[in-house]
Amino acid sequence: MKVFVDAIGLAAPGLNGWQESLPVLRGEQTYAANELERYKPEQLPANERRRATDLVRMAFRVCEDLLRQKPIDIRQCAAVFASSGGDYPIIDQICKALCEPERLVSPTQFHNSVHNSAAGYWSIATGSRAPSTSISAFDDSFCAGLLEAANLCVIEQLPTILAVYDIKPPEPLQSKRPISQDFGVALLLSPTESADSLAQLTLTIAESAESTSAQLASLEAMRLRNPAARSLPLLEFIARQQSGHMLLAANNNPALTIEVKPCH
Amino acid sequence: MISGSMTPLAITDYTLTTCLGAGRAANWDKIDRAESGLKPCDFFDITDLPTWIGEVAGVDQQALPARLANYDCRNNRLAWLALQQDDFLAKASQAIETYGAARVGVFIGTSTSGIHQTELAYFESRDHLPDWYHYRSTHNVFSVADFVQQALGARGVCIAISTACSSSAKVFASAYRAIATGMCDAAIVGGVDSLCLTTLYGFHSLQLVSPDKCKPFDKDRSGISIGEAGGFALLEKDADSPLALLGYGESGDAYHMSSPHPDGEGASLAMQMALDKAGLASEDIDYINLHGTGTLANDAAESKAVAHLFGEHIWASSTKGWTGHTLGAAGIVETGFSLMSITHNRIPSNLHLQQPDDGMRIALPLTAVQQPVRRVLTNSFGFGGSNCSLVVGARV
């Protein structure tokens, strides 16, 4: 299965934006783990922005970063939102509220607790009624999200945004789900090549595989800290305009071989 | 927007477990007898929610296979109970043998997965979660998909889809695409959602929970009754089967996080896409299984959308008066009812509907209708404006 990557959005400590991160991803600049500041989604109406949680802000941060590089008609664009665990802080708040005698769950917290909250806000913000889906495959969420988005892109012949993101769970959940760093990535997939295409990806199922590591040691450490950061070796390939194969191993999903070919 | 038609995909087996009973026969029997499975809420230790629920009997007594003990929680017990009905386990194992484990995908819809396990863990200790609590294999959204994959021994593509109440309708679209691109040859699709405090108190906070049994489309309707359920279907490439997935349509509302678009514009889009994918016109549909939750907003919007596309003459009913709103499992449960409607040539009534509300310009049967049923459109709409419609039926 072939798809083209036309634009990328990225957000993690020290990787604040795709364009801004290119020197680090290319190995031209030393990685520095600067924390991300709280993001204000540009496209969300004020009322919705006020209610948007840190998780929704992360999804918007990477999708809006992507759109800054390639303005497209977002209403004709499908979307796949993949997150291993969704909104951990909201789950924590709701479970704590349920421990109180009154069990008062806030209506806003409740609608924010659905796994498709980012997809819902995105549809409201962009006016897009195109198909979107929200998935999880635990630590395989990048791999499964990439397959889901590529299937959608190829079968429906629609440009498709894939956003994969996870944020740090608060304690006490952190002790049971240790994700120590926020990470978000968005890829704009297209079924056909255009002048803006960055790379062509050919996805095939591999027999068995060890995941390809990130080329930089600092990024390899990050790759293992967050399921969405499993994308880092692919991002390095694209940033360096390298051709080659990378392997994406998974627990519950078949291993994927991704053949990366730069478009220009 | 999505265009082009799809090749019908064989549905070679299916099963469902709801508050009406375990398996197809127990469910259809209650539908036939117009007997609701709803009862006053006595879940867990709730005493302050005057509402009705659809609880599946015997969930707590389910013992998971010993090798899967870490997955033990209400949601996975319900999944296991549902998997054991109608010989589904044997049929799924046979498919895995035929195609090879790596070629069989698992696509499961859920909204809250095993969140009740986290609720219980917090009750015990909010500071240090107890040792018995396994987040990954119980609460996590993916846990139920992981459990089903492990229980069956499949090794192909495996995802959980969680788009609130459209989750287990959308699994059919994802599985169709994965088969069409050659990622798998067969797919086990399904949905499982179980009762928990988060949804009972959460929907209550939004004032969407009815103090009475839900009455979809009635002038006195006052909200949803929350139910739980599990169901599965087996989809096979190039297989022979009288039943098939004929079409699917997915859309967003672009309107509000917890209210549907008042004119059902997103819903119309999903239904139209499902017809287009099936290569059918609206008059080719014999029965519409409505989302019909029983809230003021949903039923008003959905009836407008249905009237707009189908006019006033195609029988349309909601089966939620029997099962309650099973949330992330609603898609698979109502696809099951749609398939049984075809098999029995019988259209369920709208249970608890006495006086249709003004402006419901659709054909809402008050008693079951016996007539040939070849193709059914079924709707599932969720929070975040996530809409999915499916067309199932005898192959065109």
Side-chain angles (χ1 to χ4, degrees):
Chain A
M1 182 166 40
K2 275 192 180 66
V3 289
F4 294 87
V5 178
D6 285 2
I8 299 176
L10 179 61
L15 298 174
N16 189 5
W18 170 249
Q19 291 295 340
E20 295 78 355
S21 305
L22 285 173
V24 173
L25 291 166
R26 289 175 180 150
E28 298 161 1
Q29 188 182 306
T30 311
Y31 172 77
N34 302 318
E35 280 304 313
L36 293 170
E37 283 174 22
R38 193 160 203 245
Y39 185 72
K40 276 193 191 159
E42 291 166 12
Q43 308 219 13
L44 262 185
N47 208 28
E48 308 292 347
R49 189 191 294 165
R50 196 166 44 81
R51 296 175 177 161
T53 64
D54 287 346
L55 186 80
V56 170
R57 286 165 198 264
M58 173 56 98
F60 269 73
R61 184 193 288 258
V62 291
C63 289
E64 290 179 348
D65 184 36
L66 175 156
L67 288 183
R68 272 190 286 276
Q69 297 150 56
K70 181 164 180 180
I72 49 165
D73 181 0
I74 202 70
R75 284 175 298 182
Q76 300 301 321
C77 189
V80 174
F81 293 86
S83 174
S84 84
D87 211 319
Y88 297 107
I90 288 286
I91 289 160
D92 175 62
Q93 287 163 30
I94 289 178
C95 287
K96 280 181 177 153
L98 290 171
C99 290
E100 302 298 329
E102 303 81 13
R103 293 185 178 163
L104 289 176
V105 174
S106 118
T108 303
Q109 276 176 8
F110 181 58
H111 82 222
N112 279 335
S113 75
V114 294
H115 197 69
N116 60 320
S117 58
Y121 283 108
W122 183 248
S123 168
I124 293 168
T126 59
S128 172
R129 289 182 172 155
S132 86
T133 193
S134 301
I135 70 155
S136 167
F138 202 65
D139 283 348
D140 303 348
S141 291
F142 176 68
C143 174
L146 183 59
L147 276 179
E148 180 74 15
N151 287 339
L152 190 54
C153 177
V154 167
I155 296 300
E156 314 301 354
Q157 290 288 299
L158 285 172
T160 303
I161 288 189
L162 166 66
V164 190
Y165 48 89
D166 261 295
I167 60 170
K168 287 182 286 190
E171 285 295 356
L173 284 172
Q174 173 77 231
S175 65
K176 297 286 186 175
R177 177 52 168 153
I179 295 176
S180 58
Q181 202 161 41
D182 295 351
F183 194 98
V185 60
L187 305 177
L188 175 62
L189 304 183
S190 169
T192 49
E193 187 171 4
S194 69
D196 298 319
S197 295
L198 301 171
Q200 175 187 292
L201 308 184
T202 308
L203 310 178
T204 45
I205 288 176
E207 277 302 303
S208 66
E210 285 256 319
S211 280
T212 301
S213 305
Q215 298 176 43
L216 294 164
S218 51
L219 299 187
E220 174 59 12
M222 189 190 284
R223 183 178 76 87
L224 301 170
R225 281 190 207 121
N226 187 309
R230 306 295 195 271
S231 58
L232 277 167
L234 175 64
L235 301 182
E236 284 180 326
F237 265 88
I238 297 175
R240 293 166 187 233
Q241 296 183 294
Q242 264 175 339
S243 299
H245 290 80
M246 63 162 285
L247 289 162
L248 203 53
N251 297 311
N252 292 77
N253 275 278
L256 264 191
T257 302
I258 308 176
E259 189 193 333
V260 191
K261 208 173 106 190
C263 284
H264 44 81
Chain B
M1 281 297 157
I2 284 187
S3 56
S5 58
M6 65 169 270
T7 312
L9 177 60
I11 301 174
T12 51
D13 198 18
Y14 68 99
T15 184
L16 72 164
T17 291
T18 72
C19 62
L20 299 175
R24 294 197 301 257
N27 274 272
W28 194 251
D29 181 55
K30 292 283 174 63
I31 295 272
D32 238 5
R33 289 199 266 158
E35 274 180 35
S36 174
L38 299 176
K39 62 170 183 177
C41 179
D42 59 353
F43 178 69
F44 197 55
D45 59 349
I46 293 174
T47 53
D48 54 355
L49 287 183
T51 185
W52 292 62
I53 57 170
E55 182 176 11
V56 175
V59 176
D60 286 335
Q61 288 74 49
Q62 281 300 306
L64 304 188
R67 68 189 168 91
L68 300 173
N70 273 356
Y71 292 83
D72 191 32
C73 65
R74 184 174 184 84
N75 205 58
N76 290 332
R77 287 181 192 186
L78 177 49
W80 183 235
L81 175 65
L83 273 175
Q84 295 173 82
Q85 309 308 315
D86 296 315
D87 254 348
F88 191 84
L89 273 177
K91 201 74 195 280
S93 301
Q94 198 181 3
I96 288 166
E97 193 157 307
T98 305
Y99 299 102
R103 301 293 302 162
V104 178
V106 171
F107 302 80
I108 306 295
T110 186
S111 70
T112 50
S113 191
I115 195 172
H116 187 51
Q117 202 72 0
T118 303
E119 296 169 357
L120 296 174
Y122 270 63
F123 284 146
E124 189 165 312
S125 169
R126 290 186 256 175
D127 303 318
H128 299 285
L129 295 175
D131 289 341
W132 54 259
Y133 168 66
H134 304 289
Y135 165 78
R136 174 186 182 162
S137 50
T138 60
H139 172 159
N140 184 265
V141 177
F142 185 60
S143 143
V144 60
D146 184 3
F147 171 74
V148 170
Q149 191 194 37
Q150 303 298 321
L152 298 175
R155 283 194 290 107
V157 178
C158 182
I159 64 168
I161 294 185
S162 189
T163 54
C165 305
S166 62
S167 303
S168 61
K170 288 171 79 79
V171 293
F172 285 88
S174 282
Y176 171 80
R177 287 188 285 257
I179 289 173
T181 60
M183 287 288 150
C184 41
D185 295 325
I188 288 133
V189 299
V192 186
D193 242 343
S194 46
L195 291 171
C196 61
L197 304 186
T198 300
T199 49
L200 284 162
Y201 285 95
F203 279 108
H204 178 69
S205 77
L206 288 164
Q207 299 179 308
L208 293 176
V209 175
S210 173
D212 199 355
K213 284 181 273 195
C214 69
K215 298 175 197 168
F217 302 97
D218 196 89
K219 69 176 178 43
D220 292 329
R221 69 190 182 281
S222 52
I224 64 172
S225 303
I226 295 176
E228 61 185 350
F232 300 95
L234 178 59
L235 309 178
E236 293 181 70
K237 188 181 179 176
D238 305 327
D240 249 349
S241 169
L243 298 170
L245 174 71
L246 303 179
Y248 59 86
E250 299 168 280
S251 72
D253 262 4
Y255 179 71
H256 191 269
M257 282 303 286
S258 54
S259 302
H261 187 284
D263 294 324
E265 286 180 8
S268 289
L269 265 179
M271 289 188 272
Q272 184 64 58
M273 273 184 218
L275 289 174
D276 292 348
K277 278 281 177 194
L280 296 171
S282 57
E283 61 267 25
D284 297 324
I285 300 297
D286 301 307
Y287 164 50
I288 301 165
N289 180 286
L290 298 160
H291 187 51
T293 60
T295 67
L296 290 173
N298 174 84
D299 296 0
E302 186 177 13
S303 66
K304 277 186 198 167
V306 168
H308 169 69
L309 282 181
F310 294 91
E312 301 176 26
H313 303 295
I314 296 173
W315 290 117
S317 69
S318 163
T319 42
K320 289 189 171 69
W322 276 275
T323 60
H325 189 355
T326 61
L327 309 177
I332 190 75
V333 163
E334 290 158 29
T335 300
F337 287 142
S338 301
L339 294 169
M340 286 193 281
S341 171
I342 293 165
T343 302
H344 297 279
N345 287 308
R346 192 170 170 86
I347 291 168
S349 69
N350 287 275
L351 192 62
H352 307 146
L353 172 62
Q354 292 182 312
Q355 169 94 52
D357 200 359
D358 293 342
M360 301 292 175
R361 297 180 194 288
I362 53 176
L364 296 162
L366 299 180
T367 54
V369 179
Q370 197 73 36
Q371 67 160 56
V373 181
R374 295 195 65 222
R375 298 181 203 99
V376 180
L377 178 129
T378 176
N379 284 336
S380 297
F381 308 139
F383 271 14
S386 175
N387 308 307
C388 185
S389 299
L390 302 175
V391 178
V392 292
R395 291 188 196 224
V396 182

